[in-house]
Amino acid sequence: MTTCNNNQAKVKSHEQEPMQNQLEKLQAYIIIKWGLILISTPALFFGFFIGSISIDELLLILVIVFFSSAINIYFSYLKRAKKHNQGVLRLALFIDMFLILLATNYAGGIESGWLYLPAIFILIVSMVFDLYTSLAYATFAFMTIVVYFLLLFFGFIPHHLLVPHTEFPWRTQGFFIDRFVSFFALYFLTAFAGSLLSHQLEESLRKANLAQQESDNSRRALMNIASDLKNAQQELEARVKERTASLEEAKADLESKVRNRTADLENSRKAILHMMKDLKEDIKKLREVDQIKTEFFSMISHELRTPLTLVKGYLSLLFTGKIGPLAPEQIKTVGIITRQSDHLQTLIESILDISRLEVGKSIPLSKTPMSIKTVLEKTVEALKLQAEGKKIELAANISDFLPTIIGDETKINRIFSNILGNALKFTPEGGKVTVNAFVEDSQIKVEVIDNGIGISQENLAKVFNKFFQADSSITRTAGGMGMGMAIAKELVELHGGKIMAESSGLGKGSKFTFTLPINSL
């Protein structure tokens, strides 16, 4: 919008520029005209008093001067009204020229130096008006002088001379030609020179006006920019106030929400403290129950071991025939009772071990030099009967180069019995269990591999947890307390070894591996 207004202002300014120049020229002409009138009028009266001008001639000249003054007053009106009449102005110029020539006639005629005055006036006209007006003025002045010369030469008008002369050089042909040529050259050269100078001045004025207009336009543009910036500042301040008010409102709302949330959190904290207090009491009760359970297990285990020891002692007497010979069927029955007694003893030992672990006590070890090969072979031989009962193929690949180690033979027997018994328990009839034992990286490595029910991936990390049993019909049928793998892990780590379980998934069998260092104990 600002650019459009500036362009419109430029167009309007260019349209008003010629009119403004003409009005300035008119003002200059009015000033010159009044000057000439003020100079010529006293001169006319002086000529009348000295007798060079008659009363008729004076009246004629005064009428012309009056008419010229009236035109000048009219021009002054046009200047004030900011109007311009080119035709009236040119008519006034011709009247002024006539007055100059008339004054020249009474000032000395053809011999008067006043005939050079039109050249000065032509210069002024060329400076005030255009070239065509100046040339017309020069032509009119030259033709008037030519006619004036002819009228004076042939005596049609009187020759006025303030200073009497005895000779009349103007009547000679050379004087006549010289005057014509000089006036012609003077008038027209003055017209061209004045017009050229006027053109240069107008061009300079035009450039100055353009520069002034550009300066004004720039100033107006800067003022518009300043106004726009002020408006933008006011708008920005209004937006800032509005935004500040919104932020203050949001702040108050947020503070209210924070207070409410703080109150809720305080209530929650109190509730949590109350829950923690209740939880502590529950934990305390659970610990007390757990302690009672542990003490109960320990007491039951000790109470069961005493009669079981007596039962196993009498079974040994029966089985060896020290009390009396037994029939084959009786020997078989005593063997079954003996194996179940051993299983019951194993369960009791497991309960005792779990009780120790519950109270943070480690399982005691009796460390002596022992043959790991003998322990593994005895365990495999002891469990062959169980494997045959389920028609499971039990293969043992025990290296003959297993070294003697320092360890608890009874506890290592329990480790291997728990792992191998677990494999036989979860392998269906017609399956296969393989035992591998060999030396690897200064360790004895024992592997028990079966093709039984397998272990799911999510349960692999739980098989060594206490009381863990896989949720399957086979597990429930096989029975057990879920303590064998937990005790085996604890005993392996007490010997400085590691134990791990692997399985590809349910129905794809499993592999249990434990290692024992050769020289760590």
Side-chain angles (χ1 to χ4, degrees):
M1 180 62 71
T2 302
T3 305
C4 182
N5 292 335
N6 291 338
N7 293 334
Q8 291 177 356
K10 289 182 180 179
V11 172
K12 187 175 181 180
S13 176
H14 287 311
E15 291 176 352
Q16 292 178 351
E17 184 178 357
M19 177 61 70
Q20 182 65 28
N21 291 338
Q22 292 296 333
L23 292 175
E24 291 176 357
K25 293 177 181 179
L26 183 61
Q27 177 67 22
Y29 172 74
I30 291 171
I31 294 172
I32 296 170
K33 181 72 172 293
W34 284 122
L36 291 175
I37 292 173
L38 291 175
I39 293 172
S40 61
T41 301
L44 290 172
F45 281 102
F46 177 75
F48 174 74
F49 284 118
I50 65 175
S52 61
I53 300 175
S54 64
I55 186 65
D56 295 333
E57 293 171 338
L58 178 61
L59 292 175
L60 176 62
I61 294 173
L62 289 176
V63 169
I64 296 173
V65 169
F66 175 77
F67 184 70
S68 179
S69 299
I71 293 175
N72 213 31
I73 293 172
Y74 173 69
F75 285 157
S76 298
Y77 162 74
L78 293 178
K79 175 63 176 63
R80 287 193 301 271
K82 295 185 178 181
K83 298 180 181 179
H84 180 65
N85 193 323
Q86 193 75 13
V88 177
L89 184 59
R90 284 190 171 87
L91 177 60
L93 288 173
F94 288 119
I95 293 174
D96 292 338
M97 185 64 191
F98 179 75
L99 290 174
I100 291 171
L101 293 175
L102 188 62
T104 301
N105 176 61
Y106 292 113
I110 194 67
E111 299 166 301
S112 173
W114 290 98
L115 288 176
Y116 291 98
L117 182 60
I120 298 174
F121 202 75
I122 289 170
L123 178 63
I124 296 173
V125 169
S126 64
M127 296 290 291
V128 175
F129 303 98
D130 56 9
L131 176 62
Y132 298 107
T133 302
S134 179
L135 291 175
Y137 210 105
T139 303
F140 176 76
F142 179 73
M143 294 305 296
T144 303
I145 289 175
V146 170
V147 172
Y148 173 69
F149 269 46
L150 292 176
L151 292 176
L152 187 65
F153 183 80
F154 290 106
F156 291 103
I157 58 175
H159 178 262
H160 297 277
L161 187 61
L162 296 177
V163 181
H165 287 274
T166 58
E167 296 182 358
F168 299 96
W170 55 272
R171 288 187 177 275
T172 63
Q173 185 178 5
F175 179 83
F176 185 81
I177 293 173
D178 288 341
R179 284 297 178 105
F180 274 4
V181 171
S182 62
F183 289 142
F184 179 84
L186 178 62
Y187 292 167
F188 282 94
L189 287 176
T190 301
F192 278 107
S195 298
L196 179 60
L197 181 60
S198 176
H199 177 73
Q200 294 296 329
L201 290 175
E202 286 182 354
E203 186 66 21
S204 299
L205 288 174
R206 187 184 68 82
K207 291 181 179 179
N209 289 333
L210 288 176
Q212 182 64 32
Q213 291 173 4
E214 291 294 334
S215 177
D216 292 341
N217 292 336
S218 299
R219 181 177 59 81
R220 285 192 292 269
L222 289 175
M223 291 179 64
N224 292 332
I225 292 173
S227 177
D228 293 341
L229 288 175
K230 185 176 181 181
N231 294 334
Q233 180 184 5
Q234 293 176 351
E235 183 179 357
L236 181 60
E237 289 176 352
R239 289 184 179 178
V240 168
K241 290 180 180 179
E242 181 181 354
R243 185 59 178 168
T244 302
S246 300
L247 290 175
E248 289 292 337
E249 183 179 354
K251 177 184 176 184
D253 184 58
L254 181 60
E255 288 177 350
S256 176
K257 291 181 178 179
V258 168
R259 285 194 295 269
N260 295 335
R261 185 58 178 167
T262 303
D264 293 340
L265 290 175
E266 182 63 21
N267 295 332
S268 299
R269 185 183 69 84
K270 292 179 180 178
I272 290 172
L273 290 175
H274 185 69
M275 292 174 60
M276 289 179 65
K277 183 178 180 182
D278 294 341
L279 185 60
K280 286 181 179 179
E281 293 177 356
D282 293 340
I283 291 174
K284 183 178 180 181
K285 292 178 181 179
L286 288 174
R287 286 178 178 173
E288 292 175 355
V289 171
D290 193 54
Q291 182 67 25
I292 293 171
K293 179 198 70 175
T294 303
E295 292 176 356
F296 175 75
F297 282 159
S298 179
M299 180 186 66
I300 292 298
S301 299
H302 283 89
E303 293 297 329
L304 290 176
R305 288 178 69 182
T306 302
L308 183 60
T309 302
L310 293 174
V311 170
K312 290 186 68 175
Y314 282 111
L315 286 174
S316 178
L317 292 175
L318 288 173
F319 191 76
T320 57
K322 292 181 179 180
I323 298 177
L326 298 176
E329 290 297 328
Q330 292 175 332
I331 294 174
K332 182 178 179 182
T333 301
V334 171
I336 295 173
I337 294 173
T338 301
R339 286 194 300 273
Q340 292 302 318
S341 298
D342 293 337
H343 179 64
L344 182 58
Q345 185 177 7
T346 302
L347 291 176
I348 293 171
E349 292 294 334
S350 298
I351 292 173
L352 287 173
D353 292 339
I354 291 297
S355 299
R356 293 189 185 97
L357 295 176
E358 287 291 329
V359 295
K361 296 181 180 179
S362 61
I363 301 173
L365 297 178
S366 178
K367 297 173 284 186
T368 58
M370 56 163 290
S371 173
I372 184 68
K373 182 175 183 297
T374 302
V375 172
L376 296 178
E377 288 176 345
K378 285 183 178 181
T379 305
V380 171
E381 186 65 28
L383 293 176
K384 269 188 177 181
L385 186 61
Q386 181 181 347
E388 291 174 357
K390 293 184 64 175
K391 300 180 182 179
I392 296 174
E393 180 184 352
L394 178 58
N397 302 313
I398 301 173
S399 174
D400 293 333
F401 303 101
L402 296 180
T404 299
I405 64 172
I406 303 299
D408 190 324
E409 183 175 343
T410 303
K411 298 299 188 292
I412 291 177
N413 178 59
R414 287 186 61 191
I415 294 170
F416 186 56
S417 297
N418 288 348
I419 296 174
L420 183 56
N422 202 61
L424 294 172
K425 184 194 310 184
F426 294 106
T427 301
E429 291 186 3
K432 182 179 181 179
V433 176
T434 303
V435 176
N436 298 319
F438 51 90
V439 176
E440 181 180 88
D441 299 330
S442 301
Q443 297 181 106
I444 294 175
K445 189 172 186 179
V446 180
E447 298 175 343
V448 178
I449 306 170
D450 66 70
N451 58 356
I453 63 171
I455 306 170
S456 62
Q457 294 298 316
E458 61 269 18
N459 288 331
L460 271 176
K462 302 177 183 179
V463 295
F464 296 108
N465 293 345
K466 290 178 290 185
F467 305 109
F468 172 77
Q469 288 183 324
D471 187 13
S472 67
S473 59
I474 296 179
T475 303
R476 297 184 186 277
T477 302
M481 298 176 63
M483 296 185 296
M485 291 296 103
I487 294 173
K489 180 176 183 296
E490 182 69 20
L491 293 175
V492 167
E493 291 177 352
L494 286 174
H495 281 83
K498 294 181 179 179
I499 188 170
M500 64 194 72
E502 301 175 53
S503 178
S504 300
L506 293 175
K508 297 183 179 180
S510 58
K511 176 182 177 181
F512 284 83
T513 304
F514 70 93
T515 61
L516 296 172
I518 294 175
N519 54 1
S520 62
L521 293 175

